[in-house]
Amino acid sequence: YIPAETRVAVWAPDPAVFSLISLMLEATMDDTLATLRLNRIESVTDLQEISRGQYEVTLVAGPWPESIAADPILSPFVENGGGLVILGDAAPSLAPTIMNLGGGTISNQVGRTGSTTPVTTFGEADQRHPIFSGLYTDATIRERQLEQPPIFTYVSYSKGLGAESTLLSAQNGDPLLQEIPFGAGTTLLYTTSLNPAWSQWAYHGISLPMLHRSIQYVTGSPVVTLQGWTVGEPVTFQVQGSQANETIRIEHAESDVI
């Protein structure tokens, strides 16, 4: 069963950043390339709530408080099937947890927070991945390039030894978006941020479908393109929390078995 509503816990110490993310995720958008579910966004003040099973997704959009250990909260959350999205301004404070989740290492910050001089922009994306698939279908766009928002700063990331993959690179080849599977869940690590002091990503049209699709992807919900599915055609999509060889029963909202 895939719920009609996704409960998203957002840790964003900056109220302006929380408001921005809330507006983006609660927006009613007509993504003609994907079926998007409704998001219920909640600002988390008691971080222990994340580990109590109230949320399908946790989005960390600012430094994790030093007084609260992140790993005992986030690692079990992801291992048990939760989806975790980390933005760049939160990454340094979660570096040990990222490693424990099967990821690599965070090192220095490239560029300067609050700068107006870009250090890079979006480069190559995995166009086969559900987050990016079909975003550009116009045959006249021969290079199939994404929009290129100015990025003023990002954190330098080195891949670990686990089964992670780079979904989006900067023009200089550095990772901008990593997918890190762990247990029954998935972490998406963005090395830059929606925070205007980090980039102008939030001011470009691509930010809305990317964020919506990121939330949708880590919950295991399939992204359905306009091409649709044909009866008898094999279809593959991710189901968080499932085990190997497990039979999945999918029901329509009216309880009709699909």
Side-chain angles (χ1 to χ4, degrees):
Y1 173 71
I2 298 174
E5 181 180 70
T6 302
R7 297 165 296 178
V8 183
V10 177
W11 170 255
D14 186 337
V17 173
F18 174 76
S19 295
L20 173 64
I21 291 172
S22 295
L23 286 171
M24 294 177 70
L25 287 178
E26 292 178 341
T28 302
M29 62 174 294
D30 179 17
D31 183 349
T32 56
L33 299 168
T35 299
L36 298 176
R37 291 183 289 146
L38 298 176
N39 298 310
R40 190 178 76 196
I41 314 303
E42 297 184 10
S43 177
V44 177
T45 54
D46 179 4
L47 292 169
Q48 298 295 336
E49 293 180 2
I50 294 172
S51 58
R52 296 176 186 147
Q54 301 180 52
Y55 303 101
E56 283 84 43
V57 180
T58 296
L59 192 158
V60 187
W64 191 273
E66 295 181 1
S67 60
I68 301 176
D71 197 57
I73 296 174
L74 295 179
S75 291
F77 174 77
V78 177
E79 187 173 20
N80 292 324
L84 177 62
V85 179
I86 301 173
L87 299 187
D89 37 5
S93 63
L94 293 177
T97 299
I98 291 169
M99 292 183 65
N100 289 338
L101 287 169
T105 56
I106 302 290
S107 53
N108 61 301
Q109 184 172 331
V110 181
R112 182 171 56 86
T113 305
S115 172
T116 57
T117 303
V119 293
T120 190
T121 186
F122 287 178
E124 183 178 353
D126 183 354
Q127 296 282 349
R128 300 167 299 177
H129 194 275
I131 293 178
F132 297 104
S133 176
L135 278 183
Y136 287 85
T137 58
D138 191 338
T140 63
I141 306 178
R142 300 184 184 278
E143 301 297 324
R144 296 178 63 82
Q145 291 182 339
L146 298 174
E147 287 185 272
Q148 298 182 327
I151 295 174
F152 308 123
T153 185
Y154 65 96
V155 293
S156 182
Y157 178 82
S158 299
K159 293 178 64 174
L161 300 177
E164 62 178 307
S165 55
T166 301
L167 305 182
L168 175 65
S169 300
Q171 282 193 338
N172 60 9
D174 287 348
L176 287 179
L177 174 57
Q178 291 291 119
E179 179 183 350
I180 308 169
F182 181 74
T186 300
T187 298
L188 290 177
L189 169 64
Y190 284 92
T191 60
T192 191
S193 177
L194 290 163
N195 189 328
W198 280 62
S199 75
Q200 290 190 358
W201 175 27
Y203 300 135
H204 283 66
I206 195 172
S207 63
L208 199 58
M210 279 181 66
L211 189 59
H212 272 264
R213 287 175 174 213
S214 294
I215 297 298
Q216 186 179 28
Y217 181 74
V218 296
T219 61
S221 175
V223 173
V224 184
T225 69
L226 275 180
Q227 298 171 346
W229 293 341
T230 303
V231 175
E233 177 186 2
V235 174
T236 301
F237 58 85
Q238 180 185 21
V239 178
Q240 297 285 16
S242 63
Q243 304 297 321
N245 301 319
E246 181 179 356
T247 300
I248 304 297
R249 178 187 177 93
I250 302 177
E251 295 184 4
H252 189 269
E254 283 75 25
S255 297
D256 296 329
V257 177
I258 299 175

